[in-house]
Amino acid sequence: MLTILLMQCLVVLVCVGATTAVAVAVQERSLRDATRERVLDVATSLAALEQVQQAMGLPVEEAAASLQPLADLVQESAGVDYVVIHDDDGIRITHPTPAERGKRVSTDPTATLAGETSIGSEEGTVGMTLRAKVPIVVDDDVVGGASVGILESRLAADVGDAMWGLLPWVVGSAIVGCLLSGVLTWFIRRRVRRLEDAARELQAQRRVSAALRDQSHEFHTRLHVIRGLIAEGFDDDALDYIGGIVPVTGASAGPDVGGIDDPVVRTVLESAAEPLHARGGMLVLDPASTVESGSFDDDALLVLSNLARNAVEAARDRVEVRVVAAGDGIHLRVDDDGDGIAESDVPRVFERGYSTKTDAEGHGVGLDLVRRTVVRRGGTIEVGRADGGGARFTVDLPSARVGDLA
């Protein structure tokens, strides 16, 4: 993304630079065209003045005395750098430098005295100037010429001033363009990250789905084998077959579930507790636990099994389970003595794929199933801290009949 941002900024700078170059060129051309029109207008107006035309028949000294004040006034008011009037011999009558008056003009006056008007840059006594030369005509005869000019150095300074005036806009445009590029890059990066996260989540869900399909197929196959063995009366062989699938280590005594008569609930707790017993730990049943016959359905067994297995994986040595099941619903409380769940992680603990384990492959599914089951049945589930410092999950699950009514 940094490379994209740099490329976008480079494109912005190139575009701003190119636009600036074009703007400067256009500005320079506009100033030059405006200057050409100005010196031509001044020279043409000066040549057409009656005072100028009448003075052209006088001797140079008398003509200079009459026209020099006029030339100075025109030069100042028009903002030009020099105004020169010469006679038909090319002798200057007026000039901003007194020493140059009465001398022949420094540039060839032939074209002007031939009646031609010209505009261009030439080197003169005051330097390189953009000048306009206009013939002075009296009764269809060319009697002299008027030359008005502006220094090229002054034009260059005007162009420079225009560039400095444009500079803040150029810099501002470049900064704004780069900032907008940065914002655009940030939005693109955020969008790409969301798409990448969604793709990873979809891939993980596909892996889980594929694994569940494989396990479901394998589970059905094994159930058919077990059912066949039992149906044929081979109970011992069925037990041996089950033992091969879920080996019992016998590392310690099973959980104390003497207060529960329901064999399915007892089996679920014993199965979930086996890994903890293998580590030398213990799953214990709260003495207040009671289970009425027939009060547990498949949803309740799924919730109990997943909570118990989750607690066994998180516990160090001890898991405590309270089960109170009656006709109107089931209350479950499962405590462990593990590290507990950080307060910042509580809102995410039921998200699919969430796990505190470093190797999360295959984890992060059970609590999501618990949450969806409890919500579907209209129950509640809470996450807190157990007395031993670990995690505590508390579930109130209405009976199937009550849940349907809800």
Side-chain angles (χ1 to χ4, degrees):
M1 288 300 177
L2 179 60
T3 303
I4 295 176
L5 177 59
L6 292 176
M7 291 179 63
Q8 289 177 333
C9 289
L10 180 61
V11 170
V12 169
L13 293 177
V14 170
C15 292
V16 171
T19 303
T20 302
V22 172
V24 169
V26 170
Q27 184 75 4
E28 182 181 9
R29 176 60 61 87
S30 298
L31 285 172
R32 183 168 289 275
D33 290 344
T35 302
R36 288 167 63 91
E37 292 179 2
R38 176 153 53 119
V39 295
L40 179 59
D41 289 343
V42 172
T44 301
S45 300
L46 183 63
L49 288 176
E50 184 177 355
Q51 181 181 350
V52 173
Q53 294 179 356
Q54 290 178 351
M56 297 308 296
L58 300 175
V60 173
E61 292 79 5
E62 293 182 20
S66 174
L67 297 181
Q68 187 60 52
L70 175 64
D72 291 341
L73 178 62
V74 170
Q75 178 178 330
E76 182 178 357
S77 61
V80 295
D81 292 316
Y82 82 89
V83 174
V84 172
I85 300 174
H86 64 83
D87 61 15
D88 54 0
D89 291 326
I91 302 302
R92 300 188 188 100
I93 298 174
T94 67
H95 194 282
T97 305
E100 298 295 331
R101 299 167 193 164
K103 295 182 180 180
R104 184 174 177 81
V105 293
S106 59
T107 57
D108 186 7
T110 302
T112 304
L113 295 176
E116 296 180 8
T117 297
S118 60
I119 303 175
S121 295
E122 292 182 311
E123 184 73 34
T125 57
V126 296
M128 181 65 71
T129 57
L130 176 61
R131 61 184 66 185
K133 296 180 180 180
V134 177
I136 300 174
V137 181
V138 178
D139 296 333
D140 296 330
D141 293 329
V142 177
V143 296
S147 178
V148 177
I150 292 181
L151 289 169
E152 288 284 355
S153 59
R154 182 175 170 184
L155 281 175
D158 290 341
V159 173
D161 291 341
M163 289 181 60
W164 281 109
L166 192 62
L167 183 62
W169 297 97
V170 173
V171 174
S173 299
I175 292 174
V176 171
C178 289
L179 289 176
L180 291 177
S181 296
V183 172
L184 179 61
T185 301
W186 180 80
F187 274 111
I188 293 175
R189 185 176 183 180
R190 184 179 180 184
R191 178 62 176 169
V192 169
R193 282 183 173 177
R194 287 181 177 178
L195 292 175
E196 289 176 346
D197 292 342
R200 283 194 292 268
E201 183 178 356
L202 179 60
Q203 186 177 8
Q205 290 178 353
R206 286 176 176 173
R207 287 198 301 266
V208 171
S209 178
L212 290 176
R213 283 196 301 269
D214 294 341
Q215 291 177 1
S216 177
H217 177 74
E218 182 180 358
F219 179 72
H220 281 91
T221 301
R222 289 174 173 174
L223 281 180
H224 282 297
V225 173
I226 294 171
R227 184 180 184 280
L229 290 173
I230 295 175
E232 295 295 330
F234 301 112
D235 295 349
D236 291 339
D237 292 333
L239 290 175
D240 291 339
Y241 180 75
I242 294 172
I245 298 172
V246 186
V248 179
T249 60
S252 63
D256 181 8
V257 292
I260 295 180
D261 296 330
D262 191 308
V264 177
V265 176
R266 292 170 61 92
T267 302
V268 165
L269 291 176
E270 290 173 354
S271 175
E274 180 60 30
L276 180 62
H277 296 162
R279 303 197 306 263
M282 175 62 71
L283 184 150
V284 298
L285 190 67
D286 189 290
S289 298
T290 60
V291 177
E292 293 184 3
S293 177
S295 58
F296 257 80
D297 55 18
D298 290 343
D299 285 344
L301 289 173
L302 181 146
V303 172
L304 176 62
S305 175
N306 279 282
L307 290 180
R309 291 180 183 279
N310 185 74
V312 165
E313 291 180 358
R316 294 188 180 92
D317 301 306
R318 179 183 175 89
V319 172
E320 182 175 334
V321 178
R322 174 186 288 182
V323 182
V324 178
D328 57 347
I330 299 171
H331 172 79
L332 302 176
R333 192 186 74 190
V334 181
D335 295 351
D336 65 69
D337 63 349
D339 296 328
I341 299 173
E343 186 175 352
S344 59
D345 289 338
V346 170
R348 301 174 49 236
V349 79
F350 294 107
E351 292 180 3
R352 178 173 288 270
Y354 171 83
S355 177
T356 58
K357 303 171 181 63
T358 56
D359 179 14
E361 185 71 25
H363 297 291
V365 178
L367 290 179
D368 176 58
L369 291 175
V370 169
R371 176 189 59 81
R372 288 192 290 167
T373 302
V374 172
V375 170
R376 176 169 51 81
R377 287 280 289 270
T380 62
I381 183 168
E382 297 178 358
V383 182
R385 183 167 292 277
D387 296 338
R392 167 175 289 177
F393 287 84
T394 305
V395 173
D396 285 299
L397 192 69
S399 68
R401 182 177 63 259
V402 174
D404 292 339
L405 292 173

Coordinates of all heavy atoms in Angstrom, one line a residue, residues 295-305 330 332 373 377 397:
S295 N -35.9 -34.8 31.5 CA -35.8 -33.3 31.4 C -34.7 -32.8 30.4 O -34.8 -31.7 29.9 CB -35.5 -32.7 32.7 OG -34.3 -33.2 33.3
F296 N -33.8 -33.7 30.1 CA -32.7 -33.3 29.1 C -33.1 -33.8 27.7 O -33.4 -34.9 27.5 CB -31.4 -34.0 29.5 CG -30.4 -33.1 30.2 CD1 -30.6 -32.8 31.6 CD2 -29.4 -32.5 29.5 CE1 -29.7 -31.9 32.2 CE2 -28.5 -31.7 30.1 CZ -28.6 -31.4 31.5
D297 N -33.0 -32.8 26.8 CA -33.2 -33.2 25.4 C -31.8 -33.0 24.6 O -30.8 -32.7 25.2 CB -34.3 -32.3 24.7 CG -34.0 -30.8 24.9 OD1 -32.8 -30.4 25.2 OD2 -35.0 -30.0 24.8
D298 N -31.9 -33.1 23.3 CA -30.6 -33.0 22.5 C -30.0 -31.7 22.7 O -28.7 -31.6 22.8 CB -30.9 -33.3 21.1 CG -31.2 -34.8 20.8 OD1 -30.9 -35.6 21.7 OD2 -31.8 -35.1 19.8
D299 N -30.8 -30.6 22.7 CA -30.2 -29.2 22.8 C -29.5 -29.1 24.1 O -28.4 -28.5 24.2 CB -31.3 -28.2 22.6 CG -31.7 -28.0 21.2 OD1 -31.0 -28.5 20.3 OD2 -32.8 -27.4 21.0
A300 N -30.1 -29.5 25.2 CA -29.5 -29.4 26.5 C -28.2 -30.2 26.6 O -27.2 -29.8 27.2 CB -30.5 -29.8 27.6
L301 N -28.2 -31.4 26.0 CA -27.0 -32.3 26.0 C -25.9 -31.6 25.2 O -24.7 -31.6 25.6 CB -27.3 -33.6 25.4 CG -28.2 -34.5 26.3 CD1 -28.6 -35.8 25.5 CD2 -27.4 -34.9 27.6
L302 N -26.2 -31.0 24.1 CA -25.2 -30.3 23.3 C -24.6 -29.1 24.1 O -23.4 -29.0 24.1 CB -25.8 -29.7 22.0 CG -24.9 -29.0 21.0 CD1 -25.4 -29.2 19.6 CD2 -24.9 -27.5 21.3
V303 N -25.4 -28.3 24.8 CA -24.9 -27.2 25.6 C -24.0 -27.7 26.7 O -22.9 -27.2 26.9 CB -26.1 -26.4 26.1 CG1 -25.6 -25.3 27.1 CG2 -26.8 -25.7 25.0
L304 N -24.5 -28.7 27.4 CA -23.7 -29.3 28.6 C -22.4 -29.9 28.1 O -21.3 -29.6 28.7 CB -24.6 -30.4 29.3 CG -23.8 -31.1 30.4 CD1 -23.4 -30.1 31.5 CD2 -24.7 -32.2 31.0
S305 N -22.4 -30.6 27.0 CA -21.2 -31.3 26.5 C -20.2 -30.2 26.1 O -19.0 -30.3 26.5 CB -21.6 -32.2 25.3 OG -20.4 -32.7 24.8
I330 N -33.8 -25.9 32.4 CA -32.5 -26.4 32.8 C -31.6 -25.3 33.2 O -31.5 -24.3 32.4 CB -31.8 -27.3 31.7 CG1 -32.7 -28.5 31.4 CG2 -30.4 -27.8 32.2 CD1 -32.3 -29.3 30.2
L332 N -27.6 -24.5 34.1 CA -26.2 -25.0 34.1 C -25.3 -24.0 34.6 O -25.4 -22.8 34.2 CB -25.9 -25.5 32.7 CG -26.7 -26.5 32.0 CD1 -26.3 -26.7 30.6 CD2 -26.7 -27.8 32.7
T373 N -27.7 -22.3 20.0 CA -28.7 -23.1 20.6 C -29.5 -22.4 21.7 O -30.8 -22.5 21.7 CB -28.1 -24.4 21.1 OG1 -27.4 -25.1 20.1 CG2 -29.1 -25.4 21.7
R377 N -33.6 -21.3 21.6 CA -34.5 -21.8 22.6 C -35.1 -20.7 23.5 O -35.9 -20.9 24.4 CB -33.8 -22.8 23.5 CG -33.6 -24.2 22.8 CD -34.9 -25.0 22.8 NE -35.2 -25.5 24.1 CZ -34.8 -26.6 24.6 NH1 -34.1 -27.4 23.8 NH2 -35.1 -27.0 25.8
L397 N -31.8 -22.5 30.3 CA -32.4 -23.0 29.0 C -33.8 -23.5 29.3 O -34.0 -24.4 30.1 CB -31.5 -24.2 28.5 CG -31.8 -24.6 27.1 CD1 -31.4 -23.5 26.1 CD2 -31.1 -25.9 26.8

